Amino acid sequence: MKKKMLLLNTTVLLGLGGVLSTPAYASTIQDMESQKSQIQNQRQDVQSNIKAASDELTRLQAEQDQMKAQLERLTLAEEENNKKAQKTEADIKETSKQVDQLEKEIKLLQEKLEKRNDILKDRARSMQESGGNVEYLQVLLGSSSFGDFVDRALAVSTIVDADRGILTETKNMQDELKTKQADVKSKLASLEDMKAELDEMTVQLAAQKKQKDALAKELKDKEAKNEELKASLQSKDSSLANEQSTLEQNIKDQKAAEEAARKAAEQAAKEAAKKAAEQSQKAAAAPSEKADSPSPKAAPKASSNDVAPTSAPAPKASNVVTVGNRWIGNSAYVFGGGRSQSDINHGLFDCSSFVHWAYSQVGVNLGPLGSVSTETLKHAGTQVSSSQMQPGDLVFFDTYKKDGHVGIYVGGGKFIGAQSSTGVAIANMSSGYWKQKFNGRVVRI
């Protein structure tokens, strides 16, 4: 009987131990904990990517701010160049009217002079027929042209007053004709320069509009991609967070179920032990044996954190070759620009005003800012051979006119200047467009 009770106790305790160990539950929780750990690792990766994306978005935002500022400069430059083009067109029309008027006046003067010529010929012929003043006749016969005749005749003191009046008026007409012809020639030359400049401005405006449109599109595309990237990462993180939350709830529910089962098993074990003890006491009054139940294992824990990198700003340049680098990508070309502090603050230059500004930054004055031009700059220093060209020398190009563009040689076959299509930029003068336009003029300041 004692052996039977001992066997019963052993069976009950073995059964209790099997219930309390709950291998099925432990396996399920372990799997879920493993899944949870994997999801946490994935979230860490995603959050790391989100941080990297945020850093990139911050960098791109700064780049976008720079692009917006450049877009504003290009818009301002376009407006200024449009005004300049409109003024030049108006000047061309006004100069053309003046040229037309001068040509009409010249034609009238020429007609009057032809009539005066006929009158003087008649006077000379009449005097010759009547045996008039010999000196006067010699003047007529010795002159090489009508103009020369008038100049000679006025020098003859014995000419009658009537003839002298005619000759004086004729001389005045001739002088006026020469003045008007010289004026027409000057205005026509000015007109040609204005037309060439207007053509250059038309090309420049088209290039600036193209650049502005491309910049606006690039800005819009980047903004859209940034938003798309941010939304995608946030969506993925949210999805992983939901998955993690679901697993954590499942683990919690599973642990609660395990705890309830453990407590039920303990209660059943106590009741079974009590019943076995009672039966044992009744049968043999033998002491009952107790066994310790295994305690449940604790769940593992895990956590991690990341740190962001930092960057340092680049140093500034300090000489004439590199001082203008600050305007690369931050400037725009404006005909006649760069001659006021407002223009300079906004990075609005033309080629000659940029050169003037660059040299002023290293303490060299190239004359009054308001009147600086390629024409004044080519006389600002010493002419040197292009074979002796050094960094800092001024280099000149024949664009819309001779010496129409100027820049600062930086070495290596390149120069920095305010280019019409790019604003301040470094360009290659050893090949392509600028090589064709370089006229060999080099000025050392």
Side-chain angles (χ1 to χ4, degrees):
M1 184 68 179
K2 184 176 179 181
K3 288 181 179 179
K4 288 182 179 180
M5 292 306 298
L6 183 60
L7 182 61
L8 176 62
N9 287 342
T10 302
T11 304
V12 169
L13 289 172
L14 287 172
L16 179 59
V19 171
L20 292 177
S21 65
T22 58
Y25 290 126
S27 176
T28 303
I29 291 175
Q30 188 175 7
D31 288 344
M32 286 193 290
E33 288 286 4
S34 176
Q35 291 177 24
K36 177 184 172 183
S37 178
Q38 291 175 4
I39 289 174
Q40 285 176 330
N41 289 336
Q42 289 179 33
R43 279 201 74 192
Q44 287 176 3
D45 290 341
V46 171
Q47 287 170 351
S48 177
N49 289 336
I50 288 175
K51 186 180 182 308
S54 296
D55 291 342
E56 178 66 7
L57 288 172
T58 300
R59 187 191 69 78
L60 287 174
Q61 185 59 53
E63 185 181 328
Q64 287 172 356
D65 291 342
Q66 206 172 26
M67 289 172 68
K68 286 178 181 176
Q70 180 65 0
L71 197 57
E72 290 174 2
R73 271 189 291 272
L74 287 173
T75 300
L76 184 59
E78 188 178 24
E79 290 173 357
E80 291 298 320
N81 285 330
N82 266 319
K83 290 178 184 176
K84 179 70 175 176
Q86 290 169 5
K87 183 179 183 303
T88 301
E89 286 179 345
D91 289 345
I92 287 173
K93 288 180 181 178
E94 180 60 29
T95 304
S96 296
K97 287 180 182 177
Q98 292 175 8
V99 168
D100 290 342
Q101 182 60 34
L102 282 170
E103 286 177 343
K104 288 178 182 177
E105 292 174 5
I106 287 171
K107 187 177 179 180
L108 288 173
L109 278 172
Q110 287 173 334
E111 290 174 355
K112 288 180 179 179
L113 283 170
E114 286 176 5
K115 290 179 181 178
R116 288 299 174 101
N117 188 11
D118 292 339
I119 292 173
L120 288 171
K121 283 180 180 178
D122 290 341
R123 295 284 295 167
R125 190 180 298 110
S126 174
M127 184 171 286
Q128 184 180 20
E129 291 172 355
S130 62
N133 189 290
V134 175
E135 186 180 5
Y136 190 46
L137 294 174
Q138 288 176 340
V139 166
L140 175 62
L141 296 173
S143 60
S144 60
S145 66
F146 178 67
D148 184 34
F149 167 73
V150 172
D151 290 336
R152 283 168 171 261
L154 284 171
V156 177
S157 59
T158 57
I159 298 175
V160 295
D161 290 341
D163 287 350
R164 185 176 296 280
I166 295 172
L167 288 167
T168 300
E169 288 178 4
T170 303
K171 174 64 175 173
N172 291 339
M173 285 184 186
Q174 285 180 330
D175 292 343
E176 185 180 359
L177 179 62
K178 288 178 181 177
T179 300
K180 289 183 182 294
Q181 285 175 331
D183 197 12
V184 165
K185 186 176 180 181
S186 173
K187 288 186 181 298
L188 284 173
S190 173
L191 197 58
E192 289 300 318
D193 285 346
M194 284 191 287
K195 285 180 178 177
E197 188 173 314
L198 181 59
D199 290 341
E200 181 75 7
M201 278 191 281
T202 302
V203 173
Q204 153 66 12
L205 285 169
Q208 281 186 334
K209 186 177 186 309
K210 186 177 179 181
Q211 184 185 5
K212 189 179 79 170
D213 292 344
L215 200 58
K217 185 179 184 303
E218 183 181 356
L219 182 61
K220 187 176 180 181
D221 290 345
K222 281 192 175 183
E223 286 176 342
K225 286 179 181 178
N226 290 349
E227 292 301 323
E228 184 180 351
L229 173 63
K230 187 176 178 181
S232 174
L233 288 169
Q234 287 176 337
S235 174
K236 187 172 183 180
D237 184 60
S238 177
S239 176
L240 286 171
N242 290 336
E243 192 174 344
Q244 180 180 334
S245 177
T246 300
L247 268 175
E248 287 173 347
Q249 185 61 45
N250 289 343
I251 290 171
K252 184 179 178 181
D253 293 344
Q254 192 67 20
K255 285 183 176 181
E258 178 186 346
E259 182 66 15
R262 187 185 67 78
K263 287 181 179 180
E266 285 180 350
Q267 185 63 32
K270 285 179 181 179
E271 290 176 358
K274 183 179 179 182
K275 186 175 181 180
E278 290 173 353
Q279 290 177 353
S280 178
Q281 287 174 359
K282 287 180 181 180
S288 61
E289 297 180 1
K290 296 183 179 179
D292 294 330
S293 59
S295 60
K297 296 180 180 178
K301 296 181 180 179
S303 65
S304 65
N305 291 309
D306 293 326
V307 180
T310 59
S311 60
K316 286 182 67 179
S318 61
N319 59 65
V320 73
V321 174
T322 57
V323 73
N325 289 354
R326 60 172 287 196
W327 294 116
I328 296 175
N330 297 307
S331 60
Y333 187 93
V334 173
F335 278 92
R339 287 164 178 77
S340 68
Q341 194 56 49
S342 175
D343 278 359
I344 294 172
N345 291 342
H346 287 90
L348 304 179
F349 296 97
D350 65 11
C351 61
S352 52
S353 66
F354 170 74
V355 168
H356 187 286
W357 174 87
Y359 268 92
S360 72
Q361 300 306 294
V362 294
V364 178
N365 185 354
L366 296 181
L369 176 60
S371 58
V372 67
S373 67
T374 55
E375 195 66 25
T376 64
L377 289 176
K378 74 181 185 183
H379 301 296
T382 304
Q383 303 275 333
V384 298
S385 169
S386 59
S387 62
Q388 298 175 331
M389 193 159 46
Q390 297 177 1
D393 290 344
L394 304 188
V395 286
F396 291 79
F397 305 84
D398 293 343
T399 51
Y400 70 95
K401 66 176 183 178
K402 185 168 181 59
D403 298 317
H405 189 69
V406 64
I408 302 171
Y409 186 64
V410 299
K414 296 180 179 179
F415 75 98
I416 185 170
Q419 272 58 279
S420 61
S421 59
T422 60
V424 176
I426 293 176
N428 190 349
M429 58 183 287
S430 59
S431 64
Y433 176 83
W434 292 112
K435 181 180 180 180
Q436 296 173 1
K437 297 298 181 180
F438 179 52
N439 61 17
R441 187 188 297 280
V442 180
V443 173
R444 185 161 298 158
I445 302 301

